[in-house]
Amino acid sequence: MREMRNAKRQITDEKRIDEIIMSCDCCRLGFVDGDEAYIVPLNFAFVKEDGKRVFYFHGASEGRKIDLIKANGKAGFEMDTNHALMPADTACNFSFAYQCVMGTGKISLVEDREKKAAYLNNIMKHYSDKNDWEFKDAVIDATAVIRLEVSEISCKEIPAMA
C-alpha cells in the first residue's frame, strides 16, 4: 500500500477498503497512450483471487482501450463514492467529502468463453444482485472482458462534517 501525503485521511484497513470498493458504481481506467493520458469510465466487478484484488470490466472488443491493453499490459484505476459538499462562510473554506480508491495493476483480456460468462455474471451481480444471467455465445464472442490484477492500491476518506 502506498503512503499518502496526508496520512490521517488514508484508509489502511483491508476490509474497509473492500467495502468502499463495493459501494462504488464506476471505475475509471487510466492508460498512457504515447504522450497522452487516456481515461475511460467502466462498470466493474470486484473479486478476491488467491488473496489478490482483481477487477473485471466489459466493453467493445475493438478500440483504443483494447489496443492499449494489448500494447502495454498496465493500467491505473480510480473510483470514488459518498460525495457531499461541505459549504462554509467563505469560498476557501468550502470542502468536499468523499471516499476514493486508486491504484495500478496488470491488465489483460480474458479469452476463455466460460470465464468470460462467469465474469460478466460477476459484473451483473455488482449492479443487480443477481449472478445467474445467461449470455448467448454471439454476445460473449463480441464482448471484451478485461481483467485488472491490482499491484498497488491506496484509499482515502474525507468524512462529511456533522
Side-chain angles (χ1 to χ4, degrees):
M1 186 161 314
R2 175 171 261 171
E3 288 292 319
M4 285 188 182
R5 179 183 55 80
N6 191 343
K8 71 181 181 180
R9 294 182 173 164
Q10 185 172 13
I11 306 291
T12 57
D13 178 80
E14 297 292 327
K15 183 178 177 188
R16 184 74 180 119
I17 293 170
D18 294 347
E19 289 170 354
I20 292 170
I21 289 170
M22 292 304 292
S23 71
C24 293
D25 61 8
C26 176
C27 182
R28 293 160 197 85
L29 288 181
F31 301 92
V32 174
D33 186 5
D35 61 353
E36 292 182 346
Y38 176 66
I39 300 169
V40 60
L42 296 165
N43 298 115
F44 71 96
F46 167 67
V47 297
K48 290 268 186 104
E49 294 177 359
D50 299 323
K52 296 180 181 179
R53 288 183 176 95
V54 179
F55 292 99
Y56 288 96
F57 310 93
H58 70 91
S61 58
E62 296 179 346
R64 187 175 185 186
K65 171 179 70 234
I66 300 302
D67 294 343
L68 292 170
I69 290 167
K70 289 177 179 178
N72 190 317
K74 296 178 188 172
F77 68 91
E78 186 278 341
M79 56 184 61
D80 49 80
T81 190
N82 291 325
H83 308 109
L85 180 65
M86 296 184 294
D89 292 333
T90 60
C92 292
N93 287 330
F94 267 66
S95 190
F96 198 72
Y98 65 93
Q99 297 166 318
C100 71
V101 179
M102 301 176 288
T104 59
K106 187 176 170 184
I107 196 162
S108 60
L109 298 171
V110 176
E111 302 295 342
D112 180 87
R113 184 181 281 155
E114 285 182 30
K115 287 182 180 179
K116 285 173 74 169
Y119 300 139
L120 287 170
N121 260 306
N122 284 342
I123 293 168
M124 291 302 300
K125 185 174 191 316
H126 184 73
Y127 298 95
S128 71
D129 288 331
K130 178 181 169 186
N131 68 344
D132 58 353
W133 298 92
E134 292 187 26
F135 302 96
K136 295 183 180 197
D137 287 344
V139 171
I140 293 173
D141 292 341
T143 303
V145 175
I146 301 159
R147 180 181 193 274
L148 175 73
E149 183 179 310
V150 175
S151 54
E152 197 168 294
I153 195 166
S154 65
C155 183
K156 178 179 182 178
E157 179 177 37
I158 298 178
M161 304 271 185

